[in-house]
Amino acid sequence: MTTSSAAPDQHGSTAPTGGAPLIPVGVLGARGRMGTEVVKAVHAAEDLELVAMVDAGDWLFDVANAGAQVVVDFTRPDVVMDNIRFCIDNNIHCVVGTTGFDDEKLATVAAWLEPKPDVGVVIAPNFGIGAVLLMRFAQEAARFFPSTEIVELHHPNKVDAPSGTAVRTARLVAAARRAAGLPASPDATTDSLPGARGADVEGVAVHAVRLTGLVAHQEVLMGAAGETLTLRHDSYDRASFMPGVLLAVREIGRHPGLTVGIEGFLGL
Amino acid sequence: MTTSSAAPDQHGSTAPTGGAPLIPVGVLGARGRMGTEVVKAVHAAEDLELVAMVDAGDWLFDVANAGAQVVVDFTRPDVVMDNIRFCIDNNIHCVVGTTGFDDEKLATVAAWLEPKPDVGVVIAPNFGIGAVLLMRFAQEAARFFPSTEIVELHHPNKVDAPSGTAVRTARLVAAARRAAGLPASPDATTDSLPGARGADVEGVAVHAVRLTGLVAHQEVLMGAAGETLTLRHDSYDRASFMPGVLLAVREIGRHPGLTVGIEGFLGL
Amino acid sequence: MTTSSAAPDQHGSTAPTGGAPLIPVGVLGARGRMGTEVVKAVHAAEDLELVAMVDAGDWLFDVANAGAQVVVDFTRPDVVMDNIRFCIDNNIHCVVGTTGFDDEKLATVAAWLEPKPDVGVVIAPNFGIGAVLLMRFAQEAARFFPSTEIVELHHPNKVDAPSGTAVRTARLVAAARRAAGLPASPDATTDSLPGARGADVEGVAVHAVRLTGLVAHQEVLMGAAGETLTLRHDSYDRASFMPGVLLAVREIGRHPGLTVGIEGFLGL
Amino acid sequence: MTTSSAAPDQHGSTAPTGGAPLIPVGVLGARGRMGTEVVKAVHAAEDLELVAMVDAGDWLFDVANAGAQVVVDFTRPDVVMDNIRFCIDNNIHCVVGTTGFDDEKLATVAAWLEPKPDVGVVIAPNFGIGAVLLMRFAQEAARFFPSTEIVELHHPNKVDAPSGTAVRTARLVAAARRAAGLPASPDATTDSLPGARGADVEGVAVHAVRLTGLVAHQEVLMGAAGETLTLRHDSYDRASFMPGVLLAVREIGRHPGLTVGIEGFLGL
């Protein structure tokens, strides 16, 4: 609502939206590409109050002083662990979009949270609600279809192929297929050019298209006798991640401990 | 497995698939377009036994005499109620794909079932698992997207527009939007040719394409800032309904009473 | 290349790209949304030189003084005719993207050009090469398919439905169908909700989807027995119009007189 | 029209469609999968007369005796050359859909045709007009787009990947790109799973999806800054090849000599 550093006790007394107090939010990495979007989105949300914007060179203490209850972190892998540690110590919930988390780092965060049963941290590789729904639906539907393949399509400046989201989706599908006891997808191919049938991710073929003009798109194709079901997500703009970030900001107070991914916040 | 009219007590003693007895199945409307497919599908299923094929002019008693535990009915609106009554009286579960059920008929079936707590009847407007999943996913996802529209595409011999499935999907989406308190889909149109913006089904725009060469297809398009999620179902063949029919045959014994739609059998 | 107002005779002597002189270009409406893109695109093109940027309040004489051989006009309907008149009088070719041209205005421009056999003016409703190709291909293919329908999809702030491009495409398709003697598209619909079958543009059904998150998209669907051919254009960004604008700038010197649309410059 | 073996001189005297004589047609391989469709299609066409149906074991002389002016050959690679030789010797035009022609066989047919300046033979790998149009449009459009990739999607019983049509389309696109002096499609991929980026056909990436439920589908995706153009062909049924076969039957009399592919008959 405002960018002032208003003290937290003020929020209880001002309740413009039907009596519920505003949630005071701090943004770390506020001048980065994603941070800038987060600042705009928090500012525009009627139930949130932007109380601190911090970037490299600023004092982290500002977010505590400003009374932030939730911090959103889109910084860098080399500083994010210090940020999370600071927030947990100061009883501030964290919504983390910074990348580079492996099992070891996740275990460290979980250990830090143990003595703080009221604090929540969510670390999410993808805040796009559409992308999260697509993965969820693919996972639910996979067992009903003998065949599933994935086609992801991106701008040609992308360095990895397939995309991380496509690989993750393929793994979820593969796990669902195994759990249902499905045999391998039928494929009579005997005469093939190298690469034609895509990358094999745990038995799921994944194809990566790179095309000038595209942004970020993914299709999951599932087929059974006489029918196909196709789930497609098109992402045109970083703005598409903001509803997921705001959802996490609103929900994290009700989810103490460590959460990976925002799927659990969608109430599916 | 076989089309013999083997007595039911034989089934308990022959258990080719890992000890589980075959389910004896009768098909009503066996010579119709859908019935023919059902006969083939039951015949090909390893855990089912086709014990009776009945069509207009045949005795309904045959299905009872043959020991059917489940009957599949793809007949006509004017005879289906008698068929269901007969099956319930004879403790035979019913899987019904015949059309024309309104609230009154459903209430009648439910009343017949009351004194028979072990008998199940499922009446489904669509046995296509892909179509059912699409409706379910559209319903779940709708509240996350300010905009939802539906495009259905069919062969040009179809007499109704939009399709019944599209109208049903639109109603499910509309209900989910209302439950979530979403406002109307944004639409700045002020200068429009009649019909351009589709049919309005409870606030959801539905567009019907009719094209030589197509079979039966449906797209649900959902949009939020910077992203869209598209769910598409393509049905090429009546064979696509058989997995849903067989699923219902296998599940109906565990679902006494009246069930409308097979969604509840999918374990979602 | 540069924004200096270098005199035209300089260009003949500097020839960085293989000896061909640069084409000096002026931009009218240079501070508008499209004009800004044109300025960037001309600046970035190795064979063009940006010699004048003019907007409301600037002197039109600047473009002549600066030696522009070609002017690009993205201004407003109420000033564009004066701009064109000035350019023709000064022997400057015009590439016009401003809207609002009717037959009368086109006739006026053609009359002005009569005494100037070396000057060319191209007035184009759409500089997107993809969109122009789509229209061309739809027109060529239409006569081979009993059915053609159009679905256009745009952001929800658009005020007209269907889009001007969709209406134009429908008219081209309708004309091709008439020329080939095709009967009406088959359609057995007898039971329809109002609007379900879209807008009727000379016998071609056109459906307009409006969805948050979308930009500008169009599909032409053509069907014959057992097959469909779909042509789809997705426009994500105003940048997509620039290749067409630059093509027109390079070609207009070879096309004296009045040209409507850039299709003729594509060498198809 | 009829399957009688009416003598050819009858046709000149019966002219039900506006005075034009019927074209007498013979079908070789008449009991095969494609031949059966051809027989039905010729029979249903008002301007053609089915005068002979020949299959393995029948006399080839029958087609000459029956007065066929055009023969359609969907037989086998090991007999098709004899069939063509016979037809040329008997002054019968040939429409050939049988596969297995290499440059040597084509040269042989061309040599046979030299002393017969009035006889035409068309040998086509694909009679689907939609597929032919897609290839033609891809070829025309390719030079306007920095990026082109192809995704083909088929039923899982197909043994070759990519499909012959996709490889042919890729080669046409690659040739058009070379002719226009386009550099390689941009692709920053440095971190890739094997196969993710598809098969490389002369610099054009081709991806092959295999999915239960699908029939035969192909997409050509072309991208430029801010826009993409997608051409998609869906083939659901062998019936889709018949319009192309009938077109060839009607046109071959006006195209003496050897023609490869039906594209030249489309009047594009």
Side-chain angles (χ1 to χ4, degrees):
Chain A
M1 295 294 286
T2 74
T3 56
S4 72
S5 297
D9 56 359
Q10 284 191 261
H11 304 125
S13 57
T14 64
T17 54
L22 302 180
I23 302 174
V25 179
V27 178
L28 307 189
R31 288 193 290 273
R33 291 188 312 173
M34 285 296 288
T36 304
E37 293 287 329
V38 174
V39 164
K40 281 194 281 183
V42 171
H43 188 66
E46 296 195 355
D47 58 338
L48 307 180
E49 177 167 16
L50 182 65
V51 296
M53 296 163 57
V54 170
D55 212 311
D58 297 333
W59 285 95
L60 204 48
F61 304 103
D62 288 355
V63 296
N65 292 342
Q69 286 175 12
V70 180
V71 146
V72 180
D73 184 301
F74 279 96
T75 57
R76 292 197 321 270
D78 58 336
V79 300
V80 66
M81 290 299 281
D82 286 346
N83 294 346
I84 293 174
R85 182 70 201 251
F86 174 86
C87 290
I88 293 174
D89 287 346
N90 286 275
N91 301 307
I92 302 171
H93 307 298
C94 293
V95 173
V96 182
T98 306
T99 57
F101 282 85
D102 53 19
D103 288 347
E104 197 189 319
K105 285 187 176 180
L106 293 174
T108 302
V109 174
W112 290 341
L113 282 164
E114 257 170 48
K116 295 279 193 174
D118 295 332
V119 178
V121 173
V122 58
I123 297 174
N126 194 329
F127 282 94
I129 288 178
V132 170
L133 288 172
L134 180 142
M135 277 188 268
R136 165 67 176 255
F137 295 158
Q139 199 178 359
E140 283 189 357
R143 69 193 157 98
F144 298 107
F145 295 90
S147 303
T148 296
E149 301 207 0
I150 295 174
V151 181
E152 56 91 334
L153 313 95
H154 284 84
H155 59 85
N157 299 322
K158 189 169 179 57
V159 295
D160 52 326
S163 70
T165 298
V167 171
R168 217 157 32 237
T169 308
R171 285 190 183 135
L172 292 169
V173 165
R177 291 174 60 92
R178 280 193 303 267
L182 285 191
S185 291
D187 182 1
T189 309
T190 53
D191 174 15
S192 174
L193 293 182
R197 291 287 292 113
D200 181 323
V201 178
E202 301 183 16
V204 176
V206 183
H207 311 266
V209 173
R210 296 293 171 265
L211 210 72
T212 306
L214 289 179
V215 187
H217 318 261
Q218 176 166 323
E219 272 189 11
V220 180
L221 301 104
M222 289 174 282
E227 67 170 341
T228 55
L229 181 66
T230 305
L231 311 175
R232 180 177 173 119
H233 181 243
D234 294 273
S235 178
Y236 302 116
D237 197 313
R238 269 188 292 277
S240 68
F241 299 117
M242 292 309 116
V245 171
L246 298 189
L247 176 75
V249 167
R250 289 168 184 133
E251 289 287 325
I252 188 62
R254 286 193 282 273
H255 295 82
L258 177 62
T259 304
V260 176
I262 62 165
E263 192 191 322
F265 297 175
L266 297 182
L268 295 174
Chain B
M1 294 297 287
T2 73
T3 56
S4 73
S5 297
D9 55 0
Q10 285 191 261
H11 304 124
S13 57
T14 65
T17 54
L22 302 180
I23 302 173
V25 179
V27 178
L28 306 189
R31 287 194 292 272
R33 290 188 312 171
M34 285 296 289
T36 305
E37 294 287 331
V38 174
V39 164
K40 281 194 280 182
V42 170
H43 188 66
E46 296 196 355
D47 58 337
L48 307 180
E49 178 167 15
L50 183 64
V51 295
M53 297 164 57
V54 170
D55 213 313
D58 297 333
W59 284 96
L60 204 47
F61 304 103
D62 288 354
V63 296
N65 293 341
Q69 287 175 13
V70 180
V71 146
V72 180
D73 184 302
F74 279 94
T75 57
R76 291 199 321 272
D78 59 335
V79 299
V80 65
M81 291 298 281
D82 287 346
N83 294 346
I84 293 174
R85 183 70 202 252
F86 175 86
C87 290
I88 292 174
D89 286 347
N90 286 275
N91 302 307
I92 301 171
H93 306 300
C94 293
V95 173
V96 181
T98 305
T99 58
F101 282 85
D102 53 19
D103 288 347
E104 197 188 320
K105 286 186 175 179
L106 292 174
T108 302
V109 174
W112 289 340
L113 282 164
E114 255 169 48
K116 296 279 192 173
D118 297 330
V119 178
V121 173
V122 57
I123 297 174
N126 194 328
F127 282 94
I129 288 178
V132 171
L133 288 172
L134 181 142
M135 277 188 267
R136 162 69 176 255
F137 294 159
Q139 199 177 358
E140 282 189 359
R143 68 193 157 99
F144 298 107
F145 294 90
S147 303
T148 296
E149 302 207 359
I150 295 173
V151 180
E152 56 92 333
L153 313 95
H154 284 84
H155 59 86
N157 299 322
K158 190 169 178 58
V159 295
D160 52 326
S163 70
T165 299
V167 170
R168 219 159 29 239
T169 308
R171 284 189 184 139
L172 292 170
V173 164
R177 291 174 61 91
R178 280 193 303 268
L182 285 190
S185 290
D187 182 2
T189 309
T190 52
D191 175 14
S192 175
L193 293 182
R197 292 286 293 114
D200 181 323
V201 177
E202 301 183 17
V204 176
V206 183
H207 310 267
V209 173
R210 295 294 171 263
L211 210 72
T212 306
L214 289 179
V215 188
H217 317 261
Q218 175 167 322
E219 272 189 11
V220 180
L221 301 104
M222 289 175 281
E227 67 171 341
T228 56
L229 180 67
T230 305
L231 312 175
R232 179 176 175 118
H233 182 243
D234 294 274
S235 179
Y236 302 115
D237 197 313
R238 270 187 292 276
S240 68
F241 300 117
M242 292 310 116
V245 170
L246 297 190
L247 176 75
V249 167
R250 289 169 184 133
E251 289 288 325
I252 187 62
R254 287 194 282 274
H255 294 82
L258 177 62
T259 303
V260 177
I262 62 165
E263 191 190 323
F265 297 174
L266 297 182
L268 295 173
Chain C
M1 295 296 286
T2 73
T3 57
S4 73
S5 297
D9 55 358
Q10 282 190 263
H11 303 124
S13 57
T14 65
T17 53
L22 302 180
I23 303 174
V25 178
V27 178
L28 307 188
R31 288 194 291 271
R33 291 189 312 173
M34 286 296 289
T36 304
E37 294 287 330
V38 174
V39 164
K40 281 195 282 183
V42 170
H43 188 68
E46 295 196 355
D47 58 337
L48 307 180
E49 178 167 14
L50 182 65
V51 296
M53 297 163 58
V54 170
D55 212 312
D58 298 332
W59 285 94
L60 204 48
F61 304 103
D62 288 354
V63 297
N65 291 342
Q69 287 175 13
V70 180
V71 146
V72 180
D73 184 301
F74 281 94
T75 57
R76 292 199 321 272
D78 59 334
V79 300
V80 65
M81 292 298 281
D82 286 346
N83 294 347
I84 294 174
R85 182 70 202 251
F86 175 86
C87 290
I88 293 174
D89 286 347
N90 286 274
N91 301 307
I92 302 171
H93 306 300
C94 293
V95 172
V96 181
T98 305
T99 58
F101 282 85
D102 52 19
D103 288 348
E104 196 189 321
K105 285 186 175 179
L106 293 174
T108 302
V109 174
W112 290 341
L113 281 163
E114 255 170 49
K116 296 278 191 173
D118 296 331
V119 178
V121 173
V122 58
I123 297 174
N126 194 329
F127 282 95
I129 288 178
V132 171
L133 288 172
L134 180 142
M135 278 188 268
R136 164 66 177 255
F137 295 158
Q139 198 177 359
E140 282 188 358
R143 68 194 157 97
F144 298 107
F145 295 91
S147 303
T148 296
E149 302 207 359
I150 296 173
V151 180
E152 56 91 333
L153 312 96
H154 284 83
H155 59 85
N157 299 321
K158 190 169 178 58
V159 295
D160 52 325
S163 71
T165 299
V167 171
R168 217 154 35 235
T169 309
R171 285 190 183 136
L172 293 169
V173 165
R177 291 174 60 90
R178 281 193 302 269
L182 285 191
S185 290
D187 183 2
T189 309
T190 53
D191 175 14
S192 174
L193 293 181
R197 293 287 292 114
D200 181 322
V201 177
E202 299 183 18
V204 176
V206 183
H207 310 267
V209 173
R210 296 291 172 265
L211 211 71
T212 308
L214 289 178
V215 187
H217 317 260
Q218 175 166 322
E219 273 188 11
V220 179
L221 301 104
M222 289 174 282
E227 66 170 342
T228 56
L229 180 66
T230 305
L231 311 175
R232 179 176 174 119
H233 182 244
D234 293 274
S235 179
Y236 302 115
D237 197 311
R238 270 188 290 279
S240 67
F241 299 117
M242 291 311 116
V245 170
L246 297 190
L247 176 75
V249 167
R250 289 169 184 133
E251 289 289 325
I252 188 61
R254 287 194 282 273
H255 294 82
L258 176 62
T259 304
V260 176
I262 62 166
E263 192 190 322
F265 296 175
L266 296 182
L268 295 173
Chain D
M1 294 297 285
T2 73
T3 56
S4 73
S5 297
D9 56 357
Q10 284 191 259
H11 304 124
S13 56
T14 65
T17 54
L22 301 180
I23 302 173
V25 179
V27 178
L28 307 188
R31 287 193 291 272
R33 292 188 311 172
M34 286 295 290
T36 304
E37 294 287 330
V38 174
V39 164
K40 281 195 282 183
V42 170
H43 187 66
E46 295 196 356
D47 57 337
L48 307 180
E49 178 167 16
L50 182 64
V51 295
M53 297 162 57
V54 169
D55 212 313
D58 297 334
W59 284 96
L60 204 47
F61 305 103
D62 288 354
V63 298
N65 292 342
Q69 287 175 11
V70 180
V71 146
V72 180
D73 184 301
F74 280 94
T75 57
R76 292 200 320 274
D78 59 335
V79 300
V80 65
M81 291 298 282
D82 286 347
N83 294 346
I84 294 174
R85 183 69 202 251
F86 174 87
C87 290
I88 293 174
D89 286 348
N90 286 275
N91 301 307
I92 302 171
H93 307 299
C94 293
V95 173
V96 181
T98 306
T99 57
F101 282 85
D102 52 20
D103 288 348
E104 197 188 321
K105 286 186 174 178
L106 293 175
T108 302
V109 174
W112 289 341
L113 281 164
E114 256 170 47
K116 295 280 192 172
D118 296 331
V119 178
V121 173
V122 58
I123 297 173
N126 194 329
F127 282 94
I129 289 177
V132 171
L133 288 172
L134 180 142
M135 277 188 268
R136 164 66 177 256
F137 295 158
Q139 198 178 1
E140 282 189 359
R143 68 193 157 98
F144 298 108
F145 295 90
S147 304
T148 296
E149 300 207 359
I150 296 173
V151 181
E152 56 91 334
L153 313 94
H154 284 83
H155 59 87
N157 300 322
K158 190 169 178 59
V159 295
D160 53 325
S163 70
T165 299
V167 170
R168 218 156 32 238
T169 308
R171 284 189 183 137
L172 293 170
V173 165
R177 291 174 60 91
R178 279 192 304 268
L182 284 191
S185 290
D187 181 2
T189 309
T190 54
D191 175 14
S192 174
L193 293 181
R197 292 287 293 113
D200 181 322
V201 177
E202 300 184 16
V204 176
V206 183
H207 310 267
V209 173
R210 295 293 172 265
L211 211 72
T212 307
L214 289 178
V215 188
H217 317 261
Q218 175 166 321
E219 272 189 12
V220 179
L221 301 104
M222 289 174 281
E227 68 171 340
T228 55
L229 180 67
T230 305
L231 312 174
R232 178 174 176 121
H233 181 244
D234 294 273
S235 179
Y236 302 114
D237 197 311
R238 270 188 292 277
S240 68
F241 300 117
M242 292 310 116
V245 170
L246 297 191
L247 176 75
V249 167
R250 289 170 184 131
E251 289 288 325
I252 188 62
R254 285 194 282 273
H255 294 83
L258 175 62
T259 304
V260 177
I262 62 166
E263 192 190 321
F265 296 175
L266 297 182
L268 295 173

